[in-house]
Amino acid sequence: MMRRPISFPTTLRSRLAGAVGVLVLGATLLAGPLAVDVAEHDLRAVLGGQQYALLSGAAAFLDDQLEARLRQMAALAAALPVDARHDPRRLQAWLAERTADASEDFVNIAAFARNGELVASGATMPSSQPLTAAGRPYFEETLLRGRGIVSDPFQSRLSGAKVVVVTAPVFDDHGEILYVLAGRIDLQHARFLRQVDALRPGGGYLFLMSADGVLIDSPPKAHALARLEETPGTQPGLARALHGFEGWLYGDDREGPAIVTYRRLATTGWILGARNPEAAALAPLARVRRTVLVVAAVLALVAGILAWWLVRWGLRPLDALQRNVAAVRHEGVDIDVLALARHDEVGELGRAFHDLVHARERASARMRAIADNVPAVIAYVDRDERFEFTNAGFDRMIGTPPDWALGRTVREALGEAGYTRLEPLIRAALRGEHGHVEDVRSDDATRHQMIDTIPDVDQEGRVVGFTVMAMDISERKEAELAQAASEQRLRLIADNLPVLICYIDRNHRMGFGNATFDAWLGLEPVRLPGMHLAEVLGKPAYDAARPRLKQAFEGVGATFEMPLQAQGRHRILEWTFVPDVQAQGRVAVAVAGVYALAHDMTRVKEAESRLVQMARFDSLTGIANRRLFGELLGLALERVRRQRQVLGVAYMDIDHFKAINDTWGHGIGDEVLKEFAQRLAACVRVTDTPARLAGDEFVVLLEDVKGPEEAERIGAKIVDTIRRPFATGAGELAVTASVGIALVRGADGPLPTQDQVLGWADGALYAAKHGGRDRWVVRAAGDVPVAAAPAAAPQADARMR
């Protein structure tokens, strides 16, 4: 005996009742777990908010601690004794004492000179390994900003330790940076997280990382300096935190689901994070979930049965409507039977059938009105290429009465020329392909059209016709041509300006460049788009421009000078960076790129150099003139007082120089002056500065003279050097010089003026002249001569002294 197949209800009422019963059953089953999930979500939000509040407090505390370290280093820099600034051993002892006092904060405090070389260190450092901070970000940034910073973590090149450095600049009396003090914090023994450990979540832990994801502190100390994504158990949301996200989020990592919170430190930009495992945070809800599932199952069964019965009872009027519709359709009953007197949804449905026919007619009329009034030609063509619909625009285009083209073929309506233009589109549309073309009407060369064909495909995939739409785009074409002409004119102007003009995007790549790049750098403009700025300018020039480029991308324009070597020519370019600021939303703005212009300032700088040379150096002899000598003498007098040194000023002239001019002429006199200046520059020390005051009067600035004996040797050397015959256009001439040297010793009290020092040196020269010329005299400041060399036998007299 064969078993009958199971039959399912086929009426709408039965199917809908069964479906509603199943849906109610399922919804009730899902309601309980969903409620628990909602509670879990809300609890997770509460825990995340609490955890973020605690983390914000911890971040504020760490900010205070880092600020305290910066203030501590700044106080050390301010307290540096004056005598230790120029005495490395004194500085070493002072730093050793301060390092011992700050051992709980810094494992070492070191001082680096402005060139980056290590000058002194509070801890003993291996002498065989010279240490320099040049190139280190913390050192360069301190010099650039002129204030202390907290560095990102790095590994010490000398000790191999994982450290963070706190810096502070030391300024000299002129406000220039003399040293950079650097306090080193060993991350292996740092107490960053230990100080806020009480704020960590129960069952979780805190971690601290730099702004680029380098781990600074965490429970496993061995992971310090590792990138967080490379360590076990990478935290959820790490990429978002590195891009500025602050707050809490929920996610999975290798250790399981957890609530993870991020907060950025204001002082350094470091990121403080906390991880709270979900198992520990949401443990109470696990027991509630099991109870809810049992209760939900019982309620779901009862609700499903009740919903099934109610639907079947409520849909009985729909059965009556279905019978009336069948009577109208198959028995010819008047449609008025559908206008039921019921005031419920079924009655509304019956009355809606009455309105459908009228609504369809009204919709057809509206669509025709829209089609006739759009600024385009619209038509429908069947598979036999005959028009079934045309709008008023079509009739206006071909100049025919309304609906004239209906039933006619495209060839008949448009003529042979019009059909030939559209034939490729017609063939493509009948193959089921969309067509698009922009062309010029053959009867009017100034009119442009955009024509589209859209295939009409039935349910079986056959093309039964296609719709044609054509629009007049003459105004748009004219605007495009005008814009292209304007761009061409601007490009022509930019290419003929003697200025580098380019656009740099946020990745420091070129957007465009003018033709001057080809003339100056040998780079064709077509090659520039996409090239990195380092490839265009070279690595040294790019590195020099990067700080100003960074400033421009922050929205602040920059102008600076930079040398550039290209195509065998040295240029000095004045660059101007103009930010391309674009609005984002109503308030926010962003710099999309930077416009860069570079003027060639080489000739201007050469002219400036020549002017400086002319203003500060003697045009005949090439040595310093009175102005430059006065500037150098003033600075030297200041150094004498600070450093307690001895300064000497040698004043000299050529014996009987007027006789040389009177006898041989001023041309020979000029030759003697130039040769005198050359010999004077060659015989003095490299640290001394010879200068011509006027005529045959010369001076030499003698710095750091060891005493009268050294001054005597210098005076003797000058006199002996000048005694050798001078080769001139008039033959060899015997030339001698008289030299007066005044010595000034550094001491407390007011400095002598430049005129006083020159007066003392001139007095010594006067004494040498009265002693017979061709000799030297040394005089202490304000005193009688301490030494003099006679003319006849200077070496013998010197020995007698």
Side-chain angles (χ1 to χ4, degrees), residues 255-267:
E255 299 178 13
I259 299 173
V260 182
T261 314
Y262 296 99
R263 185 70 165 85
R264 193 173 291 268
L265 302 188
T267 306

Side-chain angles (χ1 to χ4, degrees), residues 703-720:
E703 293 202 59
D704 195 15
V705 179
K706 304 306 179 186
E709 293 78 9
E710 185 174 13
E712 293 168 19
R713 288 194 296 270
I714 294 172
K717 187 176 181 181
I718 293 173
V719 171
D720 289 341

Side-chain angles (χ1 to χ4, degrees), residues 330-413:
H330 301 295
E331 300 174 11
V333 177
D334 190 88
I335 196 173
D336 289 340
V337 300
L338 299 177
L340 301 178
R342 298 180 59 89
H343 298 288
D344 57 9
E345 291 83 354
V346 177
E348 181 66 25
L349 181 62
R351 289 186 293 273
F353 280 116
H354 279 90
D355 301 333
L356 286 177
V357 175
H358 301 294
R360 182 176 180 182
E361 292 177 352
R362 289 195 300 270
S364 178
R366 284 194 296 269
M367 293 303 297
R368 163 60 75 172
I370 292 172
D372 287 344
N373 288 279
V374 295
V377 172
I378 302 175
Y380 183 84
V381 181
D382 64 14
R383 187 163 185 82
D384 296 328
E385 300 183 14
R386 293 185 181 276
F387 286 102
E388 290 189 2
F389 172 83
T390 59
N391 70 339
F394 181 90
D395 299 327
R396 289 191 297 268
M397 180 187 72
I398 62 176
T400 59
D403 299 332
W404 172 85
L406 297 182
R408 300 177 187 269
T409 64
V410 177
R411 191 186 300 271
E412 292 171 346

Side-chain angles (χ1 to χ4, degrees), residues 214-291:
V214 176
L215 198 61
I216 298 174
D217 198 0
S218 69
K221 292 289 186 179
H223 290 164
L225 284 193
R227 290 203 172 274
L228 198 55
E229 62 267 27
E230 299 172 359
T231 60
T234 300
Q235 306 299 337
L238 176 61
R240 292 179 59 192
L242 294 178
H243 287 83
F245 168 76
E246 290 185 302
W248 70 272
L249 49 81
Y250 172 77
D252 291 331
D253 56 21
R254 298 172 189 171
E255 299 178 13
I259 299 173
V260 182
T261 314
Y262 296 99
R263 185 70 165 85
R264 193 173 291 268
L265 302 188
T267 306
T268 61
W270 294 350
I271 301 170
L272 179 62
R275 184 184 187 278
N276 191 4
E278 183 187 48
L282 305 179
L285 281 180
R287 296 187 298 272
V288 175
R289 183 185 297 273
R290 292 190 293 270
T291 303

